[in-house]
């Protein structure tokens, strides 16, 4: 059988199409597994390349060069009194100095006795110096301009042991505060640098380790408190600039002789503070340091690499820190995003987005407040530059749309699991909040349309009763978008479907308390409980009340409420639970009262329905007063919902505490059974026991 040239060409084209379709199908399946909400921005945009990480992580940057006239203050423990007179060294310091002198004499005798050993020491010292010089840190490859001395890994401990004592610190603080002594300030900055690095390498206040001496807590606090409080004022006084100068002022000082002198000091202070922030775990130290560093934020304009380092550390503390630490970190990010270049704004936004997405994969009731703060603060940062933030939002929302499309097309387990997750839900919640907050300040209508389609798609993809919490969240998002934008979004069909869920009649026992806010999917056993039927009705009434409250003063409210009332009357007739019937009957009565109220006011007007301005002004005075029956009913519904949620959270906390006590008691029994010694109660546990009367 012979084929024409055209037949052969058609067969080849069909084969190519089949190959393309199979390849596309395989790529789509791979995309479902590989598509991530965090990896939507390129490495260049997010600055995740580790090649730009500041060398401060290694702790290999050096001390500032100190004036020889100031060093004996520390080494000899000569401190100044109020009248400036020098005091005598203490007896303990005299013993230390004598011991050092004896060791120097022994070393000198050994060098004279063995010249070969002396040459070996000199060559070894040169090798160390060359090694340190090769590894000295510099932001802009200006190793010779910063006036810093390099140090080895034991530098902080060596410096602490030799110089940092309480009286030395007091002397330096006095000289800086009263006499504005620059040499003493340099010594303090070196002490500050040593203290900041010391915590990361020893068992001290900042961290844990081994093989290093302890730093006295009082001395540590004196160094940190004085430098953090006074450094910014000293820098500004030395440069002759005001406290409210801007980034351009700092950049304009680069050719100034004063700047060349002060620059190494500022750089040392900023790097030491960043190193400490990256190592410290104490919330009070972190909060105070962040608050003081914020006053010096403008100096980062001269150190681009340090800005990136600052953003990275601040984002980490913003996402993981306690309430105060997270708040101060956000203030720093806000200042950087608004006070520096647009690239810094993009970097802050992308890193904050990735940090939020990375920390919202799980939702525990204890974390809700922190997640809300992260969401609201991110939206606050985005509102500083709506043009740039809307572009990033578009990328993220389009990614959400692609994931949902693949899920609707394939219905595969991996795709459905990715969509029905806290990470996906929190990402939608983030952009819903952003659009609702900024829609009146910028044209976000395209994003509004896409996010509405995504939410409706989620509700369509998960129609079953087990997804009641997720459906309720979808309706809440749509109500929020409708309220903020003023655009009518139909949600009654989604809410009425909740009333149609079939409830098992075999088991009518009440189930355990279950917090809807901590789940996107209900457990199977919950569907057989009496609580599930109640939650369906209460959720529908609450969400429908919120929807009607937005339009209860609109001229078309009677038509809007007609179909929902028909469904609610049918449900009332079929329901066999008297308490639920009363709730629905009460809602129907209030809606009918509001319909009659709107109809009466509508009959009194003389304008045409085509008069858009008059339609929008309809019942606006009554809306401002808020004294109509439906508005009052809506308030009571929301108050009851809030009290019910509060009681549920308290019950859950009580059950968790009982579970922890039971587990702690079981651990003690297991320890005793193994013949081990039972650990004593901590002071906190003892205080709790006394408070509980045990």
């Amino acid at each position: 059988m012979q084929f024409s040239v055209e037949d052969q060409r058609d067969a080849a084209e069909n084969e190519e199409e089949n190959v393309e379709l199979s390849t596309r199908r395989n790529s789509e399946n791979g995309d479902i597994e590989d598509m991530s909400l965090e990896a939507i921005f390129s490495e260049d945009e997010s600055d995740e390349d580790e090649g730009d990480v500041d060398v401060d992580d290694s702790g290999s940057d050096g001390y500032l060069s100190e004036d020889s006239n100031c060093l004996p203050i520390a080494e000899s423990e000569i401190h100044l009194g109020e009248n400036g007179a020098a005091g005598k060294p203490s007896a303990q310091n005299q013993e230390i100095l004598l011991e050092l002198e004896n060791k120097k004499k022994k070393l000198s005798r050994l060098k004279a006795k063995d010249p070969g050993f002396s040459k070996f020491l000199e060559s070894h010292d040169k090798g160390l110096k060359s090694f340190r010089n090769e590894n000295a840190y510099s932001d802009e490859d200006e190793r010779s301009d910063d006036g810093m001395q390099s140090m080895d890994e034991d530098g902080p401990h060596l410096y602490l042991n030799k110089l940092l004592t309480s009286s030395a610190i007091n002397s330096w603080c006095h000289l800086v505060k009263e006499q504005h002594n620059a040499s003493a300030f340099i010594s303090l900055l070196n002490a500050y640098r040593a203290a900041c690095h010391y915590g990361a390498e020893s068992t001290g206040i900042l961290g844990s380790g081994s093989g290093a001496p302890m730093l006295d807590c009082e001395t540590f606090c004196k160094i940190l408190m004085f430098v953090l409080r006074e450094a910014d004022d000293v820098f500004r006084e030395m440069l002759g600039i005001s406290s409210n100068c801007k980034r351009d002022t700092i950049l304009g000082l680069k050719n100034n002789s004063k700047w060349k002198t002060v620059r190494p000091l500022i750089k040392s202070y900023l790097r030491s503070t960043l190193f400490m922030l990256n190592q410290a775990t104490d919330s009070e130290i972190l909060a105070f340091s962040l608050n003081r560093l914020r006053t010096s934020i403008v100096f980062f304009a001269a150190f681009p690499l340090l800005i990136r380092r600052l953003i990275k550390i601040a984002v980490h503390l913003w996402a993981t820190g306690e309430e105060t630490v997270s708040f101060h970190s956000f203030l720093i990010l806000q200042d950087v995003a608004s006070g520096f270049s647009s690239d810094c704004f993009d970097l802050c936004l992308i890193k904050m987005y990735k940090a939020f997405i990375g920390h919202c994969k799980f939702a525990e009731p204890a974390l809700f407040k922190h997640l809300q703060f992260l969401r609201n603060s991110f939206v606050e940062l985005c509102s500083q530059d709506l043009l740039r933030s809307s572009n990033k939002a578009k990328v993220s929302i389009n990614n959400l749309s692609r994931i949902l499309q693949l899920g609707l097309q394939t219905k595969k387990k991996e795709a459905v699991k990715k969509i029905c997750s806290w990470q996906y839900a929190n990402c939608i919640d983030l952009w819903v909040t952003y659009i609702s907050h900024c829609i009146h300040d910028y044209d976000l209508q395209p994003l509004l349309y896409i996010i509405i389609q995504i939410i409706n798609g989620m509700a369509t993809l998960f129609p079953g009763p087990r997804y009641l919490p997720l459906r309720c969240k979808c309706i809440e998002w749509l109500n929020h978008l409708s309220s903020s934008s003023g655009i009518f979004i139909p949600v009654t069909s989604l809410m009425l479907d909740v009333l149609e869920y079939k409830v098992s009649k075999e088991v009518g026992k009440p189930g355990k308390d279950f917090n809807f806010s901590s789940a996107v999917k209900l457990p199977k056993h919950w569907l057989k409980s009496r609580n599930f039927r109640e939650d369906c009705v209460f959720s529908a009434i609450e969400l429908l009340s919120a929807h009607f409250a937005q339009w209860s003063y609109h001229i078309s409210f009677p038509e809007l409420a007609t179909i929902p009332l028909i469904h609610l009357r049918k449900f009332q007739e079929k329901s066999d639970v008297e308490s639920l019937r009363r709730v629905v009957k009460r809602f129907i009565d209030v809606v009918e009262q509001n319909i009659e109220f709107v109809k009466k006011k509508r009959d009194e007007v003389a304008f045409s329905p085509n008069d858009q301005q008059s339609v929008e002004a309809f019942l606006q005075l009554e809306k401002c007063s808020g004294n109509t029956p439906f508005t009052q009913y809506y308030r009571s519904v929301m108050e009851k919902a809030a009290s019910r949620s509060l009681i549920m959270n308290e019950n859950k906390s009580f059950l968790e505490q009982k579970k922890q006590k039971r587990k702690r008691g079981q651990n003690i029994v297991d320890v005793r059974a193994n013949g081990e010694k039972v650990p004593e109660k901590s002071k906190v546990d003892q205080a709790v026991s006394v408070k509980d009367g045990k």
Side-chain angles (χ1 to χ4, degrees), residues 63-166:
Y63 289 105
L64 296 163
S65 299
E66 298 189 18
D67 189 349
S68 59
N69 295 328
C70 188
L71 283 176
I73 296 177
E75 294 180 353
S76 305
E77 281 299 304
I78 300 175
H79 60 280
L80 299 177
E82 295 181 358
N83 56 0
K88 295 182 179 180
S90 63
Q92 182 181 2
N93 291 325
Q94 286 180 348
E95 294 177 1
I96 294 174
L97 291 173
L98 289 174
E99 186 178 353
L100 288 174
E101 289 295 330
N102 292 332
K103 288 184 177 181
K104 287 181 181 179
K105 290 178 181 179
K106 288 181 181 180
L107 186 59
S108 300
R109 288 196 299 267
L110 184 59
K111 287 181 179 180
K113 187 176 181 180
D114 190 354
F117 178 71
S118 178
K119 292 180 180 179
F120 170 77
L121 288 178
E122 291 176 0
S123 62
H124 187 64
D125 185 58
K126 290 179 181 178
L128 280 177
K129 286 182 179 179
S130 62
F131 174 78
R132 294 168 186 170
N133 291 334
E134 289 174 1
N135 290 278
Y137 171 75
S138 175
D139 287 331
E140 295 109 2
D141 295 329
E142 298 176 1
R143 293 177 172 84
S144 61
D145 294 339
D146 281 354
M148 293 186 179
Q149 298 172 349
S150 58
M151 64 163 211
D152 56 13
E153 293 180 356
D154 294 330
H157 307 144
L158 194 62
Y159 194 89
L160 291 170
N161 292 338
K162 283 186 175 181
L163 303 178
L164 301 188
T165 56
S166 181

Side-chain angles (χ1 to χ4, degrees), residues 465-575:
R466 291 190 65 188
Y467 298 99
L468 174 63
L470 184 60
R471 176 167 287 242
C472 290
K473 292 182 190 303
C474 291
I475 298 171
E476 288 176 3
W477 291 331
L478 293 175
N479 280 338
H480 191 191
L481 291 170
S482 177
S483 176
S484 59
S485 64
I487 297 174
F488 175 75
I489 302 175
V491 296
T492 53
S493 60
L494 297 177
M495 289 181 283
L496 294 174
D497 288 344
V498 172
L499 297 176
E500 302 298 327
Y501 287 153
K502 294 182 179 180
V503 181
S504 175
K505 297 181 180 180
E506 298 178 0
V507 182
K509 296 180 180 180
K512 296 180 179 179
D513 289 335
F514 187 82
N515 193 348
F516 272 29
S517 61
S518 61
V520 292
K521 185 178 179 181
L522 295 174
K524 288 183 179 180
H525 67 83
W526 184 258
L527 304 182
K528 298 180 180 180
S529 67
R530 188 187 308 163
N531 303 58
F532 175 69
R533 182 184 300 182
E534 295 176 355
D535 286 331
C536 288
V537 175
F538 288 147
S539 299
I541 295 299
E542 290 168 8
L543 294 170
L544 201 56
S545 299
H547 178 63
F548 280 176
Q550 299 174 28
W551 307 102
S552 60
Y553 296 94
H554 198 270
I555 198 169
S556 62
F557 180 79
E559 290 73 22
L560 171 66
T562 300
I563 295 179
L565 285 181
I566 294 173
H567 285 272
L568 289 172
R569 289 192 185 100
K570 288 182 179 179
F571 175 82
Q572 182 190 4
E573 294 173 358
K574 293 179 181 180
S575 178

